[in-house]
Amino acid sequence: MHPTHYLKLFTRLAGVLLLATQVQADNLGFDGKIVEPDCDAMGPWFNCRKIDSAPEAAKRGYEYIHHTSKTLGPDGNKKFSDGTPYSTSNIACSSCHFTGGHVPSGTPMYQSPAKYAGLPYFRPLNYNRDLEDSIVDCFRNCMNTSRTLSKSDPVMQDMVAYIHWLSEGVTDPNMQGTGWVNLPGTALPAVDANVANMVANPAKGKTLYRDKCSSCHSKDGAGKGEYRRGENRPRTPALWGDHSYSRGAAFYNSQNLAGYIRTHMPYGKPNTLSAQQALDMAAYINDQARPDGMADEMFCHIEADGIPGALRKPAAWLVGCSYTGEPFSDAQILYGPWQPITDWRNAEITRLKALQP
Ligand code: HEC
Ligand code: HEC
């Protein structure tokens, strides 16, 4: 055969191979699975019951929380009476609250009713929250939805009914009521005991993301499948872009996101990344374009009483902004080191608390 024929054959073969890998990537190599709770390990303190046995309101609440994009999303089947969607993004509550809040260290919600029963939660500096407020906050900041869900809205009531049903699965009396603090995995997992003094490298994070995450979450971070409008493939949620969490979300704190990534991702290979790798990827992901959400209105400004909105939350709870008078750049807030910021904010909170009537 003439050498050019070999070349042609080779190019054609390479083309077929390339196509095959693309098809493979589209299939994600996994079945669109979700994170499942390890009910055997949770047995001593939690009874994983099937949602089919729950009261109707809780069942509906589970649908909203688990299949958020299909029900409340922009193309969902449940809208406000004027036709506005409940959620303007396509991720699901359960994308982050794994299996509707069943999974320790996967932002569970089995503690939530007891936690917010000791009202008001986060009281210092008058940042008062009840369970419904937290749901509203997640709609605004995790889902980028500007319309505030009223506490009497039927969707809200069904979600609350579900979260209460979930919390009734706690069987250990030492973990019920005010004992909720003894429940495992309620805090966001720390990526490293020393994370606050670490510094993230988003350039390294970019390469790592491409190698370890993009096959499922896609190169442009938009996720794949049910969450990507108009596509009907297995579901992986968006990590940035219009359909992801906003600058006001807890994940916009790279320390939080890194802990979450290290504990749960890549899907099916939890705890395989180093703390530094997880942190580098978290910073890269948070660096990408995403909605502002309610970040400015809720946190990144000085309020009428002179208190910076960002200080209403505990100091380590950085939301992605610095505010007038704070000696830290937005870059440091995203990449660290965070310890100096937390120390400074804690001192500010103490000073401002002392001025409270
Ligand atoms: C095999 C596919 C797969 C891979 C690889 C993968 N993920 Fe995921 N990821 C998922 C799925 C599926 C979910 C949602 C799980 C659920 O709903 O229970 C998810 C959820 C997430 C979430 C929470 C939801 C959100 O929108 O914020 C984050 C953060 C995340 N992944 C980051 C990563 C990072 C970073 C990597 C690379 C280290 C990665 N993932 C690799 C499939 C994958
Ligand atoms: C992008 C990820 C993400 C999405 C999507 C998301 N949440 Fe959250 N949510 C979080 C994180 C992170 C926290 C803070 C957890 C903590 O306090 O440690 C949180 C907190 C909460 C809390 C308070 C829990 C507690 O016990 O303090 C509730 C309730 C809640 N979310 C409900 C929802 C509902 C309902 C939806 C869907 C409408 C939703 N969330 C969507 C990430 C998310």
Side-chain angles (χ1 to χ4, degrees):
M1 228 195 280
H2 193 271
T4 50
H5 284 119
Y6 281 115
L7 191 69
K8 261 189 203 153
L9 191 69
F10 176 77
T11 325
R12 211 170 282 165
L13 262 176
V16 170
L17 272 177
L18 192 72
L19 199 71
T21 37
Q22 274 168 356
V23 169
Q24 174 81 48
D26 278 353
N27 284 339
L28 301 180
F30 82 121
D31 228 2
K33 288 195 172 75
I34 53 162
V35 177
E36 300 279 2
D38 182 349
C39 293
D40 289 342
M42 291 161 76
W45 58 273
F46 191 82
N47 176 15
C48 298
R49 297 140 302 147
K50 291 238 179 310
I51 187 68
D52 319 357
S53 63
E56 290 304 315
K59 271 191 217 167
R60 288 192 300 268
Y62 177 79
E63 275 296 299
Y64 299 141
I65 285 179
H66 199 61
H67 296 297
T68 318
S69 53
K70 273 192 196 158
T71 53
L72 308 181
D75 299 328
N77 56 19
K78 181 90 190 166
K79 303 259 159 64
F80 283 114
S81 50
D82 67 359
T84 321
Y86 277 88
S87 163
T88 38
S89 91
N90 260 334
I91 56 179
C93 312
S94 65
S95 305
C96 305
H97 299 278
F98 289 141
T99 330
H102 266 89
V103 176
S105 304
T107 38
M109 297 195 281
Y110 42 64
Q111 75 286 354
S112 303
K115 175 173 168 183
Y116 291 95
L119 268 180
Y121 201 71
F122 290 137
R123 180 173 206 143
L125 303 180
N126 292 324
Y127 188 73
N128 303 326
R129 256 46 217 143
D130 60 17
L131 182 57
E132 287 90 342
D133 289 324
S134 291
I135 293 174
V136 168
D137 284 357
C138 256
F139 265 105
R140 289 157 142 188
N141 293 319
C142 313
M143 320 284 288
N144 182 33
T145 295
S146 53
R147 180 158 173 176
T148 300
L149 196 63
S150 94
K151 294 187 181 183
S152 59
D153 188 284
V155 166
M156 169 66 88
Q157 290 183 345
D158 288 345
M159 287 184 160
V160 168
Y162 166 71
I163 297 172
H164 276 273
W165 174 83
L166 176 70
S167 73
E168 286 157 17
V170 176
T171 50
D172 184 335
N174 295 320
M175 298 178 182
Q176 291 166 342
T178 51
W180 73 266
V181 289
N182 301 320
L183 281 162
T186 58
L188 286 165
V191 68
D192 186 282
N194 189 38
V195 60
N197 293 306
M198 291 170 73
V199 178
N201 181 333
K204 285 193 179 153
K206 181 179 184 175
T207 313
L208 284 163
Y209 177 82
R210 202 192 48 211
D211 294 349
K212 293 182 184 289
C213 325
S214 63
S215 63
C216 289
H217 290 282
S218 100
K219 248 190 171 155
D220 62 1
K224 289 184 175 175
E226 179 190 320
Y227 297 133
R228 198 161 189 163
R229 295 180 79 167
E231 292 182 29
N232 191 23
R233 286 177 295 157
R235 37 183 233 155
T236 52
L239 300 183
W240 65 84
D242 289 347
H243 286 284
S244 186
Y245 60 89
S246 82
R247 284 196 304 120
F251 276 2
Y252 196 66
N253 178 337
S254 304
Q255 301 168 95
N256 287 345
L257 183 62
Y260 202 77
I261 290 173
R262 193 175 188 203
T263 315
H264 300 287
M265 295 290 143
Y267 182 86
K269 296 180 196 154
N271 300 305
T272 54
L273 302 164
S274 72
Q276 188 66 51
Q277 285 177 319
L279 200 60
D280 292 350
M281 276 189 272
Y284 169 68
I285 291 169
N286 277 336
D287 234 355
Q288 307 307 307
R290 62 180 63 261
D292 284 342
M294 303 294 286
D296 289 337
E297 288 89 329
M298 288 181 75
F299 305 119
C300 313
H301 69 292
I302 311 276
E303 295 184 353
D305 58 3
I307 294 174
L311 293 186
R312 303 261 183 218
K313 286 205 162 191
W317 196 288
L318 299 175
V319 280
C321 52
S322 52
Y323 51 87
T324 321
E326 187 179 47
F328 302 103
S329 63
D330 285 351
Q332 186 172 349
I333 287 174
L334 265 192
Y335 311 144
W338 294 278
Q339 195 59 53
I341 308 176
T342 311
D343 290 346
W344 190 88
R345 287 191 177 188
N346 264 329
E348 274 297 283
I349 290 172
T350 310
R351 185 180 70 79
L352 290 165
K353 256 193 222 166
L355 299 178
Q356 294 272 302

